Amino acid sequence: MTARIDHDALFIDGGWTPPRTDGRTSVVSPLTEQEIGSFPTSTDADVDAAVSSARAALRRDDWAGLTPETRARLVRRFADELEKRAEERATTVTRQNGMPVELARFAEGAAPVQLLRYYADLAESTPLEERRASQPMPGTTIVRREPVGVVAAIAPWNFPAVLSMFKIAPALAAGCTVVLKPSPETTLDSYVLAEAAIAAELPAGVINIVTGGPDVGQYLVAHPGVDKVAFTGSTAAGRHIGRVCGELLRPATLELGGKSAALVLDDADVERTVTGLSTASLLNSGQTCYMSTRILVPRSQSRAYVDAITAMASSLPVGDPMDPATFIGPMVSAAQRDRVLSLIDQGRAEGGTITTGGGRVNGVGYFVQPTVFADVDNASTIARQEVFGPVLSVIAYDDVDDAVALANDSEYGLGGTVWTSDEERGIGVARRVETGSFGVNTFNLDWGSPFGGVKASGLGRELGPEGLAAYQQLKSIFLAS
Ligand code: NAD
């Protein structure tokens, strides 16, 4: 029996602050369906306190006013403290959202530390001022990068630690201060982040954490003390936040949903492709935004691929996410499981053929069987809506032009992959797909390169130097000489 995790305070202004309410939120294990912990739910007054602490920290000269080198040193100290707690953070995430623990050890334990170090190095090596010869009048212009200000960072439950850090690391490195709002399903691990910030002696107010659901998020997004919003989550919430930020003329980065395609070319090796697809299409039990869940296969090889994908999906170990052998854990919540099952039912009702899975796993835990739909029509609901579970659709195509057209026939444009024995041919296909990121025989995010979506998958980019620039605003200073 693992101990419960209960917190009584909020991390605001550099320390533990009593909440201004008795309201609490419980966290339920997706494996046991039992409560595993709880935390106070922030009120508007708590959000006000967090934002005003972040604003005050921005005005003092112990953060935004530091040299990039000094700030980088503090960010590295924060990384060191987080690294000491990486295992605790990773397992706390697994207990909350059911992420297979080996994945959590990398994505939720190690990766946030790597991101802090990456952005500390990058901020140190990126000049804050550049001089340009003016035109058409003679003179010089200093182009200066300044921190954008107080950042509202809102994270989803699927990769809570690393997706928060996509925002926190570049924001801190740029000299911004942050108010983080994690998802209510995955707030407990953010207390580990707070403990690392305290141990690293980050100045008060540089990071604050408010807790709660969409109401708290909405109040934070529209808060007059916020200068920028960085959001990862559903397209529906992203549209709402985009509308609010548009009215306020407040910059926003929106990382939203996806329905990406895997284009399997006729020269691909079946076995290697299907092995690659297990992670490119089903990572984190399918609860990953950039999954290639529409698998486009040559019509002449359709039967062979349906058989191989069915065999792969039905052989994936489903079970306790704390077991390192598990590949498919439970869905994060009963609501998410029911959403996935209802989309499967809709696929069935529209005449879809299920070759494996298609239901829940009997017993305790919010499990859904890995499910494959064969001979799917790209116009059907199962091919158009983001499922966010272990559900794949195999769609046959006639030639490469047809495959590219099918890939692009989607509301979304976040990820995608091509599988081929000819890398150059794969790169040619990659250039034609309407998406923010794409993999040739793989899909691996790169801390040094931008990530984000086109169409309904979002606005703006995170990661890479572009991700740092998103937390800087430009000022031009014109000189007569
Ligand atoms: P969600 O939109 O329901 O919630 C995300 C976060 O936003 C939560 O913290 C929630 O409390 C908050 N929130 C919800 N509505 C809000 C509003 N109107 N204003 C302010 N805050 C609000 O998403 P989710 O169910 O937690 O996450 C799953 C979704 O996230 C999927 O659609 C997935 O594709 C997407 N996602 C995208 C990326 C990406 O990088 N593009 C990465 C991971 C997940």
Side-chain angles (χ1 to χ4, degrees), residues 154-155 157-158 181 217 231-234 240 255-257 289 386 388:
I154 300 182
W157 46 258
N158 63 332
K181 193 204 80 66
F231 171 77
T232 300
S234 61
H240 184 268
E255 297 281 6
L256 311 176
C289 52
E386 182 183 50
F388 229 54

Side-chain angles (χ1 to χ4, degrees), residues 163-178:
L163 292 175
S164 309
M165 201 51 92
F166 276 24
K167 299 153 185 50
I168 295 169
L172 296 193
C176 296
T177 58
V178 174

Side-chain angles (χ1 to χ4, degrees), residues 20 62 89 95 100 117 128 134 147 152 166 169 216 283 336 411 423 460 469:
R20 290 153 177 81
D62 61 355
R89 188 130 193 244
R95 289 184 67 198
R117 291 180 179 147
L128 289 183
S134 338
F166 276 24
V216 177
L283 189 78
Q336 179 65 12
E411 185 194 356
E423 192 174 74

Side-chain angles (χ1 to χ4, degrees), residues 192-280:
V192 182
L193 182 80
E195 280 154 15
I198 292 170
E201 296 176 337
L202 279 188
V206 167
I207 299 184
N208 306 271
I209 302 176
V210 296
T211 56
D215 295 357
V216 177
Q218 283 176 31
Y219 185 73
L220 176 62
V221 163
H223 201 288
V226 166
D227 298 300
K228 177 190 163 105
V229 176
F231 171 77
T232 300
S234 61
T235 294
R239 285 188 207 280
H240 184 268
I241 292 170
R243 274 196 295 275
V244 173
C245 289
E247 187 57 34
L248 294 167
L249 297 178
R250 181 167 291 173
T253 307
L254 303 173
E255 297 281 6
L256 311 176
K259 188 75 191 177
S260 304
L263 294 88
V264 181
L265 303 191
D266 56 8
D267 61 3
D269 176 85
V270 177
E271 202 184 309
R272 240 182 299 153
T273 299
V274 171
T275 305
L277 284 173
S278 61
T279 42

Side-chain angles (χ1 to χ4, degrees), residues 56-194:
L58 202 64
R59 281 193 299 267
R60 287 194 315 264
D61 46 10
D62 61 355
W63 195 251
L66 296 178
T67 63
E69 293 74 22
T70 310
R71 217 165 34 231
R73 193 156 35 76
L74 292 170
V75 170
R76 288 194 193 99
R77 197 154 80 193
F78 183 29
D80 293 345
E81 291 298 335
L82 203 55
E83 191 168 43
K84 290 181 198 164
R85 297 162 175 81
E87 176 68 11
E88 181 188 358
R89 188 130 193 244
T91 52
T92 306
V93 169
T94 292
R95 289 184 67 198
Q96 295 172 104
N97 72 0
M99 178 184 293
V101 71
E102 286 299 295
L103 174 62
R105 287 194 169 110
F106 167 68
E108 304 290 284
V113 176
Q114 294 168 4
L115 281 165
L116 283 170
R117 291 180 179 147
Y118 169 77
Y119 276 108
D121 291 351
L122 189 70
E124 218 171 26
S125 62
T126 307
L128 289 183
E129 292 190 353
E130 173 195 334
R131 284 173 178 252
R132 299 182 190 172
S134 338
Q135 49 179 327
M137 306 303 277
T140 305
T141 300
I142 299 173
V143 179
R144 207 179 130 67
R145 293 165 186 270
E146 299 182 345
V148 80
V150 172
V151 174
I154 300 182
W157 46 258
N158 63 332
F159 285 87
V162 74
L163 292 175
S164 309
M165 201 51 92
F166 276 24
K167 299 153 185 50
I168 295 169
L172 296 193
C176 296
T177 58
V178 174
V179 179
L180 169 69
K181 193 204 80 66
S183 210
E185 293 85 350
T186 49
T187 294
L188 298 176
D189 64 284
S190 72
Y191 281 82
V192 182
L193 182 80

